[in-house]
Amino acid sequence: MGSIPPIWGSRISLAPFLAIAPIFAIIMMGYGLRRGGIPSFEFWNLNDRLVYWVLMPALFFAKISSADLSGGLGDYALLLYAGFFAATLGGWLFGRKMQPPQASSLLQGSARFNTFIGLAIAEAVFGPQGLQLAVLGSALLVPVVNATVVTLMTRQLGGGGASVLLGLLKNPLILSICAGVLFNLAGWSDLPVLHEIARVLGSAALPIMLLCVGANLKLRGLAGSRRQIGLATVGKFLVNPVAVVCAALLLSPDLLVSQVALIFAALPTGAASYTLAREMGGDAPLMAAIITTQTLLSFVTLPLMLLLGQIVFSSIG
């Protein structure tokens, strides 16, 4: 998979903090711009759709279709799935004595992740190698996470699951992942015009999506449902990373693989969780509070988790 880029080095450093700081500064810029009505509220609603339907699928397709898949992704997949399923189990157990709407939001808050922030941080800290590996990680996680969470929420809430699962088959991120894999297997990794268009659009995805993450933050209503918010945060920022670290200690994979897997484990819940909660009858206001709380906390927890990973993984590398 490749070695750790020079920014990391063999000694403990503050590089992760410095690399991640601009990412969160851009997120807060997006929050400030939307609250100030700049350029307009309608712009941000349309921008979300542009990222979701065009820019992110283009990035996924460009990276996956040209990726080297010959090296195997077994250890990487095990790390990612260990964290995800451990957090999912924790979220399910935490919510067993709660009302179904609150339990379903707690489940999402424990299990789902913000792909956009993960890609940006992987590139900022580890460069093009990190971004490439993060895109492959998204390809491994996104279909599994969506299918698992929707299935469990259907059991919690009852009804609506079939139509949502059918909607996942039309998800542009999942479709672009499938298209990228098919083109890769067919050997069509650099078709004239098509891949150039995908690369140009994909290059615009990361900065725009970070602004959108900030624009979607909702700071009102964070005081309510503290118990559910706290339990979801424990599942997301403790259970998930601990499971990944334990799996890495058992498998001793490539250092870069371990670090990028840890980034996914420590990511806050993604904004799509709010839409899913609203569509399936979950507690949408609670979901919004969990998303915002975790995103704000991740300003501190993400660099700390990367620093911890640097210490632990360097001892086994």
Side-chain angles (χ1 to χ4, degrees):
M1 288 294 178
S3 59
I4 297 292
I7 186 176
W8 204 253
S10 59
R11 298 169 57 187
I12 305 303
S13 72
L14 296 179
F17 293 87
L18 298 177
I20 291 174
I23 292 172
F24 289 117
I26 294 173
I27 290 174
M28 295 313 298
M29 183 184 298
Y31 175 81
L33 289 173
R34 177 159 189 166
R35 270 54 193 179
I38 303 172
S40 67
F41 292 111
E42 292 77 12
F43 167 83
W44 292 106
N45 294 331
L46 294 173
N47 216 24
D48 284 341
R49 299 181 65 184
L50 175 66
V51 169
Y52 182 71
W53 287 99
V54 179
L55 301 184
M56 285 303 298
L59 176 63
F60 277 16
F61 174 76
K63 294 294 183 181
I64 294 172
S65 62
S66 60
D68 180 9
L69 303 180
S70 61
L73 297 171
D75 286 350
Y76 189 31
L78 287 174
L79 294 185
L80 294 171
Y81 294 147
F84 165 67
F85 284 110
T88 301
L89 177 61
W92 177 269
L93 294 176
F94 289 155
R96 289 185 66 183
K97 295 184 179 180
M98 297 179 185
Q99 293 298 313
Q102 288 75 44
S104 66
S105 292
L106 172 56
L107 172 68
Q108 287 205 88
S110 300
R112 293 174 69 94
F113 62 96
N114 194 313
T115 309
F116 302 158
I117 295 178
L119 296 177
I121 289 178
E123 183 182 42
V125 179
F126 299 115
Q129 279 183 301
L131 177 59
Q132 182 71 57
L133 198 55
V135 169
L136 293 177
S138 299
L140 290 167
L141 276 173
V142 167
V144 173
V145 169
N146 280 280
T148 302
V149 169
V150 169
T151 300
L152 292 176
M153 288 180 66
T154 300
R155 182 170 179 179
Q156 289 175 317
L157 299 168
S163 60
V164 176
L165 282 171
L166 183 62
L168 291 178
L169 299 178
K170 303 176 183 178
N171 184 301
L173 301 184
I174 295 177
L175 291 176
S176 65
I177 289 169
C178 294
V181 171
L182 289 175
F183 272 64
N184 191 302
L185 295 177
W188 303 332
S189 60
D190 194 15
L191 295 181
V193 181
L194 176 63
H195 277 84
E196 185 59 29
I197 291 174
R199 283 191 287 267
V200 170
L201 290 174
S203 65
L206 295 181
I208 294 177
M209 72 187 183
L210 290 176
L211 290 172
C212 289
V213 169
N216 285 311
L217 292 179
K218 297 176 175 64
L219 297 183
R220 294 181 179 178
L222 295 186
S225 308
R226 291 181 180 177
R227 179 168 178 263
Q228 289 91 337
I229 294 173
L231 289 173
T233 301
V234 168
K236 195 70 200 71
F237 290 161
L238 182 61
V239 176
N240 200 326
V242 167
V244 169
V245 170
C246 290
L249 291 174
L250 290 173
L251 298 172
S252 298
D254 180 275
L255 288 178
L256 183 57
V257 166
S258 299
Q259 287 288 7
V260 176
L262 188 59
I263 288 175
F264 277 101
L267 290 173
T269 302
S273 302
Y274 175 81
T275 302
L276 192 59
R278 189 173 54 192
E279 289 182 1
M280 294 189 66
D283 190 330
L286 171 61
M287 195 69 253
I290 290 173
I291 293 168
T292 299
T293 300
Q294 290 188 0
T295 302
L296 295 175
L297 286 176
S298 68
F299 287 26
V300 176
T301 59
L302 260 167
L304 286 176
M305 193 59 63
L306 280 175
L307 185 59
L308 175 63
Q310 185 182 1
I311 296 171
V312 174
F313 297 144
S314 62
S315 66
I316 64 174

